Amino acid sequence: MNIITRFAPSPTGYLHIGGLRTALYNYLFTKSNKGKFILRIEDTDRTRYVKDADKQLVNTIKAFGLNFDEGPIYQSQRLKIYQKYAKQLIKEKKAYYCFCTKERLDNLRKNQEKNKQVPKYDRHCLSLTDSEIQKKLKNKEPYVIRMKLPDNEIINFNDLVYGEVKINTNDLDDQVLIKSDSFPTYHLAVVVDDHEMNITHIIRGEEWLPSTPKHIILYKMFNWEIPNFAHLPLLLNPDRSKLSKRQGDVSAEDFIKKGYLPQALINYVAFLGWNPKTEKEIYSIQELINDFAIEKVNKAGAVFDINKLNWINATYIRNIVENKTKLEKDYKYILNFIKNILPNTNRAEDILKVFSPRLNNIQEIKELSSFIFELPNYDKNLLIFKKSNKDLTLKGLEVGLQILSSVEESRWDQENLNNVLNNALKPSNLAPGDLFWPIRTALSGLDKSPSPAEILWVLGKTESLNRIKIAIEKLNT
Ligand code: GLU
């Protein structure tokens, strides 16, 4: 079989992290089967329309490297096709016009709720005669088209993730297929398109599982071959509630803006519901393609764990900086990112070198390195190491100032600076805490920061000596 899949987002503003996972699983499944991957923009819900959201979606999907073989195809450009199929169902008495007003439907629902019945359309308009219908159509009365579900029929299908799903049509509603604005509902459009585009495997979020029986009924009504379905488990917050904006970021674009690398996000998201059952945690996209198997997708909800994502992203950043020649393109991406958030420095590359081992995401470098640009106003007691005292600290700062003053600019590199400081300990009879600690805090104004040699190197000689002098003055007053 020639595998054809699709990712079918609605352009509602951003790509949800769950949407990214759906796109990724479709992509991995397709590529591992040498199939075709289609991008379809499901933009028939005009109430949720957000201008240009489709373009952003396409860009985001491409930024993640999930290249599609066909598309984007827009449903809004296919309206006539859905109309044609809806009319066909009407003709075959598998669908019917419904002229019920909103008030009537609201009342119906309220009564049903009051009587503890499942809210469901009561087929009021199914009893209209042909001439009544024609008259109403002629009078331009607003209408929708509803599918006429078969009575008391068991619909079952085998979901590739959830296994057998069974439902009685009596528990379903006569779904609207064409809305009063003459746009199709998702349910009609999705079935028509998946059929016309020869989709063999529909891989989508679990929230669509309850709609699938209705879709299957439509396939049967049209006499179309039913594709395979795989519904992906819900994404959960750590408290096991549904992953939502309220508890943190859910938009893939926001993660990118914060400096999560696309490949690290892909790596992380791949594991939200799937597991290759090995110890290996860092996977390139090609390795994911090689190992991915839809049957191994779990149906239990997957918890979105930001700590795990941070760990994966940190691992990628470190690896790229350590192998910058080999991974030049990725390195440049990180460097450009940093140049954008630290526009007033020509030391972006050096700052990256010093801070890269400490980054969960690239954006963090801004705050971590802020002391480089402006010395924080710190308390002078911070200069004194817990096992030291004021006098020894002053001595450490003065020794430091003196030996560092004599280091030539051309030898102002991390290795030499480290040696110079180490070599000063013995002759001056100072413990490391009397020298390294006060120098480091004098340079950073912080109780935690990179090592003295690293900061000296990034700050440069003049600024470093200045900061040590400030510290001596502080202690002396
Ligand atoms: N347009 C739907 C969504 O945005 C797609 C559902 C499907 O893949 O069938 O979730």
Side-chain angles (χ1 to χ4, degrees), residues 45 109 225 235 262 282 287 307 382 416 423 470:
D45 187 347
R109 202 190 50 232
E225 197 180 329
L235 296 188
I282 301 296
E287 289 171 320
N307 296 323
L382 192 66
N416 186 41
N423 294 341
I470 292 172

Side-chain angles (χ1 to χ4, degrees), residues 322-458:
E322 278 166 20
N323 300 290
K324 64 177 181 180
T325 340
K326 215 171 84 200
L327 302 172
E328 196 191 348
K329 205 168 136 237
D330 296 326
Y331 182 71
K332 283 209 169 121
Y333 175 92
I334 299 181
L335 196 58
N336 283 335
F337 196 110
I338 292 178
K339 285 181 178 164
N340 275 327
I341 51 175
L342 303 174
N344 300 320
T345 176
N346 54 8
R347 303 292 302 269
E349 196 156 5
D350 301 336
I351 292 175
L352 172 59
K353 187 169 173 199
V354 167
F355 291 95
S356 59
R358 298 166 176 83
L359 297 178
N360 289 319
N361 60 55
I362 315 173
Q363 184 75 41
E364 283 179 353
I365 207 165
K366 188 165 175 144
E367 204 176 316
L368 283 176
S369 70
S370 67
F371 73 86
I372 301 282
F373 301 97
E374 195 182 333
L375 178 64
N377 188 9
Y378 61 93
D379 185 308
K380 63 180 173 186
N381 289 318
L382 192 66
L383 292 163
I384 306 172
F385 185 59
K386 56 181 187 296
K387 287 188 191 153
S388 188
N389 58 44
K390 185 177 163 184
D391 289 344
L392 283 171
T393 302
L394 258 177
K395 184 172 170 196
L397 287 168
E398 268 151 11
V399 167
L401 182 63
Q402 194 202 337
I403 50 157
L404 291 168
S405 305
S406 62
V407 176
E408 281 173 38
E409 290 273 6
S410 61
R411 305 231 41 213
W412 199 263
D413 59 75
Q414 282 190 50
E415 202 188 333
N416 186 41
L417 290 164
N418 213 9
N419 288 339
V420 165
L421 288 177
N422 268 315
N423 294 341
L425 289 175
K426 234 192 183 152
S428 53
N429 214 4
L430 289 168
D434 305 324
L435 180 67
F436 284 85
W437 176 274
I439 294 286
R440 194 188 59 67
T441 40
L443 296 170
S444 68
L446 301 171
D447 66 344
K448 277 195 196 97
S449 66
S451 69
E454 286 173 292
I455 312 179
L456 285 165
W457 176 63
V458 178

Side-chain angles (χ1 to χ4, degrees), residues 216-230:
I216 289 185
I217 297 169
L218 280 171
Y219 282 101
K220 288 187 172 171
M221 285 178 170
F222 286 119
N223 258 329
W224 290 341
E225 197 180 329
I226 298 169
N228 296 289
F229 291 94

Side-chain angles (χ1 to χ4, degrees), residues 6 8-10 42 186 190 204 208:
R6 63 5 173 230
S10 304
E42 301 209 323
Y186 156 72
V190 80
R204 62 184 170 199
W208 302 109

Side-chain angles (χ1 to χ4, degrees), residues 6-10 22 40 42 48 186 190 194 202-205 207-208 215:
R6 63 5 173 230
F7 177 50
S10 304
T22 302
R40 187 171 72 221
E42 301 209 323
R48 290 168 72 205
Y186 156 72
V190 80
D194 286 338
I202 296 179
I203 304 172
R204 62 184 170 199
E207 65 272 29
W208 302 109
H215 300 174

